[in-house]
Amino acid sequence: MPPDFRKIVFGLVIFLILVTLPLWTNLLRGTAPLEDPEISTRDVPGKDRCVREAEYMKANHMDLLNEWRETVVRDGERGFVTVDGRHFDRSLDRTCMDCHNKQEVFCDRCHNALAVSPYCWDCHIGARETKDGSTALR
Amino acid sequence: MTFGFSLFVVALLIAIPALGAAAGGHAFWGVVIPYAALAIFLAGFTARILGWARVPVPFRIPTAGGQQKSLDWIKSSRLDNPHSAWGTIGRMALEILCFRSLFRNTRVELREGPKLAYGSSKWLWAAALAFHYAFLVVFLRHFKYFVEPTPAWVTAIQGLDGFFQVGLPVLYVTDALLLGAVAFLLGRRLLDARVRYISHAADYFPLLLIAAIAVTGVLMRYFFKVDLLGVKQLAVGLLSLQPVVPEGVGAMFFVHLFLVSSLIVYLPFSKLMHLGGVFLSPTRNLPNDNRMRRHVNPWNYPVKVHTYEEYEEEFHEVMKAAGLPLDKEKSCPKAS
């Protein structure tokens, strides 16, 4: 074997360890469970369905929230009419989180798992569930 | 033609999983394919490196871009023509991290006159640098799908990458850079007649494949959203050897995964092997100390030699009789 063979094998071993690092991390340290979010909803009279269908909301809720924010902040228009003619207030706290009142299991579960840090909570204080199940401001 | 062939193969690599995943069998596309690809990649990469490691490199190959170390009062170029181990490490670092060789790229033009003009051309260097670093950051960002909980350094990279907060989901600078650089490198091969002349399918195919990977990734992030939690469950399952196949991840993801699998399968058997090969470049990783140290060829076998002295000894009488001049006689003082 050429004199540099050992050095090259050493380098190769380092590469193989680096490239399989996620595997070792998961096997040795274990993984935290990846739970599906709880589509937790509180029964609110007069609100039986979401503003858009679940399929759309799952993929594009951020677009809707973004649009709501801009419409409210720039144009001051709070009134939102759904495709099927229902009226809502364009408000994260008063509309979304009125029903989806468990931020930890509804919002945060996915966001944390996917390392998404939306800046909603930079301004909004968010909702926390209280013992009687109603929404409470933190 | 070579470009057309590469395009056709990449289209096939998109169509097969697109149709296949739409028909079902997600366990095959999501578990069997990536595991097989990973196994081929690791085995192939190891075999290639070990093959290269067995090749003896007995001499230094001084393709130097600077003054060699000689007399003390002549300034030598320590990085471009290193004679010490640290200098060599510096040259390797410049090559691997900064693409020093590409920085030297020149362009030749025939101008009016006719005059031959040589000029520095940094475009290839800049695009290659952007391409490789953007690809590295994109790869590192993907660690958020590989382990749970997501490491802090991944979140940090991600935050820096989306620093400008353009659009929603936030545009990653590296996504734009990677696509732009791939487009440049591909355009260079297609539009520059001289580069097109020396381009083969093996040059177009990896570029197109990486472009397809980047495009499917960008599409999934910004336009046709897939179930990312499902993606992460699948990826973490794969990488903890407990594969799960979540429902409804979306065919686009399986196309992306299949293309990445194709890339890593292709890597050990193609020019992409420069990933490991760059470390073994004999013109870069050996100090130029040919004049300071004697390098004996390790596979020289002992040659049976017959020196002139021994020859003269053997044929002394015959040569003397024939009146030939003899070295031994010459050195002796005359008897008579």
Side-chain angles (χ1 to χ4, degrees):
Chain A
M1 286 299 152
D4 286 339
F5 188 77
R6 277 159 176 271
K7 282 187 217 164
I8 296 173
V9 170
F10 180 69
L12 179 67
V13 168
I14 288 180
F15 171 77
L16 291 177
I17 291 173
L18 275 181
V19 90
T20 52
L21 205 57
L23 195 67
W24 303 121
T25 314
N26 287 339
L27 288 180
L28 299 177
R29 201 188 55 180
T31 59
L34 282 165
E35 287 167 308
D36 287 324
E38 241 177 71
I39 315 295
S40 68
T41 44
R42 197 165 66 96
D43 281 333
V44 179
K47 293 179 179 175
D48 57 336
R49 271 172 298 130
C50 200
V51 294
R52 294 284 300 256
E53 64 281 13
E55 192 79 352
Y56 173 87
M57 291 305 281
K58 191 175 179 183
N60 300 308
H61 58 277
M62 68 295 277
D63 289 330
L64 182 112
L65 288 172
N66 211 29
E67 193 192 307
W68 277 21
R69 181 191 62 183
E70 284 172 8
T71 315
V72 169
V73 173
R74 295 179 188 173
D75 308 333
E77 285 179 24
R78 286 231 169 240
F80 177 74
V81 187
T82 61
V83 188
D84 50 353
R86 291 172 294 141
H87 288 262
F88 284 98
D89 200 8
R90 283 198 181 91
S91 167
L92 176 67
D93 290 325
R94 287 199 296 275
T95 302
C96 304
M97 307 210 63
D98 198 14
C99 301
H100 305 292
N101 61 338
K102 296 179 184 173
Q103 189 200 325
E104 286 99 335
V105 289
F106 183 66
C107 306
D108 295 348
R109 213 173 250 180
C110 274
H111 290 161
N112 289 345
L114 296 163
V116 181
S117 40
Y119 39 75
C120 308
W121 320 117
D122 288 4
C123 304
H124 294 269
I125 49 177
R128 294 288 184 281
E129 193 191 10
T130 54
K131 274 180 187 155
D132 64 350
S134 65
T135 311
L137 300 177
R138 190 163 45 155
Chain B
M1 188 56 227
T2 50
F3 178 73
F5 174 72
S6 308
L7 201 62
F8 172 73
V9 174
V10 172
L12 215 59
L13 291 178
I14 294 172
I16 292 171
L19 297 174
H26 287 183
F28 175 74
W29 300 106
V31 178
V32 178
I33 290 278
Y35 270 147
L38 208 57
I40 294 173
F41 168 73
L42 293 176
F45 194 95
T46 307
R48 283 304 292 273
I49 292 290
L50 289 183
W52 284 334
R54 284 198 194 92
V55 179
V57 183
F59 310 120
R60 287 13 189 166
I61 309 169
T63 57
Q67 172 64 47
Q68 186 179 14
K69 167 79 178 161
S70 56
L71 300 167
D72 281 341
W73 45 272
I74 298 176
K75 200 179 169 196
S76 76
S77 177
R78 285 176 171 276
L79 282 174
D80 280 331
N81 197 343
H83 62 273
S84 64
W86 280 109
T88 312
I89 290 169
R91 172 162 76 175
M92 285 297 283
L94 274 180
E95 186 62 41
I96 292 164
L97 302 175
C98 309
F99 304 172
R100 181 90 173 97
S101 297
L102 284 185
F103 195 72
R104 279 191 243 271
N105 187 33
T106 52
R107 192 177 167 80
V108 190
E109 271 173 30
L110 199 57
R111 300 232 172 116
E112 293 267 335
K115 248 163 108 180
L116 199 59
Y118 294 87
S120 155
S121 176
K122 302 281 184 247
W123 283 103
L124 176 62
W125 170 78
L129 210 59
F131 172 78
H132 282 84
Y133 276 103
F135 205 160
L136 176 68
V137 171
V138 170
F139 174 64
L140 291 179
R141 269 206 336 253
H142 276 71
F143 269 63
K144 79 170 177 185
Y145 297 111
F146 299 159
V147 288
E148 173 65 24
T150 307
W153 60 267
V154 177
T155 321
I157 289 181
Q158 203 175 249
L160 277 178
D161 206 351
F163 181 76
F164 296 108
Q165 298 199 341
V166 178
L168 195 84
V170 173
L171 174 79
Y172 286 135
V173 175
T174 49
D175 280 357
L177 266 180
L178 182 60
L179 285 178
V182 166
F184 177 86
L185 294 173
L186 207 53
R188 174 181 160 269
R189 288 204 178 274
L190 287 171
L191 301 177
D192 186 332
R194 280 175 287 185
V195 185
R196 191 170 64 224
Y197 184 74
I198 55 166
S199 294
H200 296 288
D203 300 310
Y204 293 121
F205 175 69
L207 278 174
L208 284 171
L209 187 60
I210 290 166
I213 290 170
V215 167
T216 48
V218 163
L219 285 179
M220 276 191 293
R221 176 171 170 81
Y222 303 100
F223 303 104
F224 308 106
K225 315 271 168 62
V226 292
D227 179 5
L228 287 184
L229 194 67
V231 169
K232 179 151 186 177
Q233 284 164 346
L234 187 133
V236 168
L238 281 179
L239 291 168
S240 53
L241 303 182
Q242 291 160 338
V244 284
V245 185
E247 291 284 312
V249 168
M252 181 80 87
F253 167 73
F254 289 104
V255 174
H256 189 68
L257 187 65
F258 189 76
L259 288 171
V260 172
S261 302
S262 309
L263 182 72
I264 64 171
V265 166
Y266 179 69
L267 193 142
F269 311 103
S270 65
K271 72 172 198 171
L272 298 181
M273 197 52 206
H274 69 266
L275 170 65
V278 68
F279 292 92
L280 306 181
S281 319
T283 60
R284 304 286 101 185
N285 66 9
L286 297 170
N288 183 13
D289 57 2
N290 276 335
R291 290 178 172 185
M292 300 163 65
R293 219 159 62 77
R294 180 174 154 82
H295 298 277
V296 180
N297 191 344
W299 68 85
N300 275 352
Y301 58 94
V303 180
K304 195 169 180 288
V305 287
H306 196 220
T307 62
Y308 179 72
E309 247 179 354
E310 291 163 352
Y311 173 87
E312 201 182 274
E313 190 95 5
E314 193 180 337
F315 297 105
H316 184 83
E317 298 304 322
V318 192
M319 287 171 87
K320 197 171 183 182
L324 288 170
L326 291 170
D327 278 1
K328 261 191 186 155
E329 303 287 296
K330 233 188 281 171
S331 57
C332 291
K334 277 188 176 169
S336 54

